[in-house]
Amino acid sequence: GNKSQDSGIAEMEELPVPHNIKISNITCDSFKISWDMDSKSKDRITHYFIDLNKKENKNSNKFKHKDVPTKLVAKAVPLPMTVRGHWFLSPRTEYTVAVQTASKQVDGDYVVSEWSEIIEFCTADYSKVHLTQLLEKAEVIAGRMLKLSVFYRNQHKEYFDYIREHHGNAMQPSVKDNSGSHGSPISGKLEGIFFSCNTEFNTGKPPQDSPYGRYRFEIAAEKLFNPNTNLYFGDFYCMYTAYHYVILVIAPVGSPGDEFCKQRLPQLNIKDNKFLTCDEEDGVMVYHHAQDVILEVIYTDPVDLSLGTVAEITGHQLMSLSTANAKKDPSCKTCNISVGR
């Protein structure tokens, strides 16, 4: 019976092939898709087949037989059609997409058009809504607040020598690496200087160990964090470890860093949040940090070394604690939200 089936299909008018595909309203885990098609045989279309691939597999479409079932079969709804949830779309990831039109037959099989051209697009970063979900998860585990008095930054001696020689003594902001959540809107975009502020439980002082070099710049907390700065929540992640990291951004009010963060990050009340606070008591600024997360603080303006001190630390270099370009654990229930990873 194959011959008669084949000829039966051949005699039917070919289904229109989608062309001029447009992708719009892209978020970190959804997009809208629309296309044009000839009106002839349009009324026979019952379904759309959509083939979505991460861009590294972009050749896979070429080898697909046109009747192979594809990743998504959608009822033929009016265009543009929203695609979400059918895949775990990852944020900030390049995809290819191609479409066919299809007509479901009485026996349940489909007649399909040729594939459309393949087009490429990239999903978006986490929105403020997604970051607020991450923020709420981070608040759950932040723990009680401990006092701090300084921010500090560890580097190799060569780094500080270079700053003195080539940058007139001022540490310069640099672009944040890709560590942390894959959808983080600050990775590869926000410029700043990394500081730590965690203290040792028993001494109330910075720990003597560091993964980032034997020399430490220490600066009084109020010189970086005060009522003339805004505080933003940037990220919450872990790297297959028991401890979690929270990235906070401190930006002088009205600075370029402040403008960048205002658009993209949830802002925190500097006097009242679960991670890092600055409040006045009897005319003196008092600072507290969360005990149960490791805070990474990004300051968005240059910082002159003369505002603090540089000295060698006595402890070890714990390379295992380095977070440079570290990948977030996508399976951790504590620090992932249910949108694309």
Side-chain angles (χ1 to χ4, degrees), residues 28-43:
C28 68
D29 64 345
S30 70
F31 61 92
K32 281 189 172 171
I33 185 167
S34 65
W35 56 83
D36 301 334
M37 50 192 165
D38 298 335
S39 51
K40 103 185 152 142
S41 298
K42 209 168 167 180
D43 51 351

Side-chain angles (χ1 to χ4, degrees), residues 35-174:
W35 56 83
D36 301 334
M37 50 192 165
D38 298 335
S39 51
K40 103 185 152 142
S41 298
K42 209 168 167 180
D43 51 351
R44 288 185 31 237
I45 298 170
T46 61
H47 290 79
Y48 306 135
F49 288 2
I50 297 179
D51 185 24
L52 186 82
N53 288 288
K54 280 195 178 171
K55 195 173 157 187
E56 57 259 25
N57 307 330
K58 64 175 170 219
N59 294 327
S60 58
N61 282 326
K62 292 180 185 159
F63 307 110
K64 283 201 171 137
H65 185 257
K66 74 172 193 179
D67 295 328
V68 171
T70 51
K71 305 246 177 85
L72 174 67
V73 178
K75 285 230 166 77
V77 294
L79 299 174
M81 178 176 96
T82 300
V83 177
R84 75 153 61 83
H86 303 283
W87 299 275
F88 283 110
L89 279 169
S90 299
R92 203 187 274 211
T93 303
E94 293 187 327
Y95 287 94
T96 61
V97 67
V99 198
Q100 323 175 278
T101 57
S103 174
K104 194 170 191 176
Q105 307 299 290
V106 181
D107 61 6
D109 278 349
Y110 290 94
V111 176
V112 292
S113 73
E114 295 291 332
W115 281 109
S116 70
E117 79 271 27
I118 297 170
I119 65 153
E120 301 179 356
F121 70 99
C122 187
T123 46
D125 295 334
Y126 283 156
S127 67
K128 268 193 196 174
V129 172
H130 299 117
L131 286 169
T132 301
Q133 292 172 16
L134 265 186
L135 163 63
E136 287 163 358
K137 296 199 93 168
E139 287 174 339
V140 172
I141 69 150
R144 68 194 181 103
M145 303 290 275
L146 301 176
K147 266 194 180 174
L148 75 126
S149 58
V150 297
F151 290 103
Y152 56 96
R153 172 174 173 79
N154 280 71
Q155 281 285 354
H156 299 287
K157 182 174 183 294
E158 294 76 17
Y159 168 83
F160 292 112
D161 291 345
Y162 187 85
I163 295 301
R164 292 184 188 105
E165 264 172 64
H166 298 278
H167 288 296
N169 217 36
M171 294 187 288
Q172 299 300 314
S174 59

Side-chain angles (χ1 to χ4, degrees), residues 170-175 191-193 299-303:
M171 294 187 288
Q172 299 300 314
S174 59
V175 176
E191 296 194 358
I193 305 170
Y299 186 78
T300 63
D301 269 12
V303 176

Side-chain angles (χ1 to χ4, degrees), residues 91-92 125-126 131 176 179-187 189 234-235:
R92 203 187 274 211
D125 295 334
Y126 283 156
L131 286 169
K176 187 200 165 297
S179 59
S181 300
H182 190 53
S184 165
I186 60 177
S187 291
K189 294 181 183 171
D235 201 1

Side-chain angles (χ1 to χ4, degrees), residues 266-284:
Q267 188 169 346
L268 302 174
N269 178 342
I270 66 169
K271 293 184 175 184
D272 180 24
N273 68 78
K274 292 275 198 284
F275 309 110
L276 182 66
T277 59
C278 150
D279 210 353
E280 204 175 308
E281 289 174 22
D282 306 326
V284 180

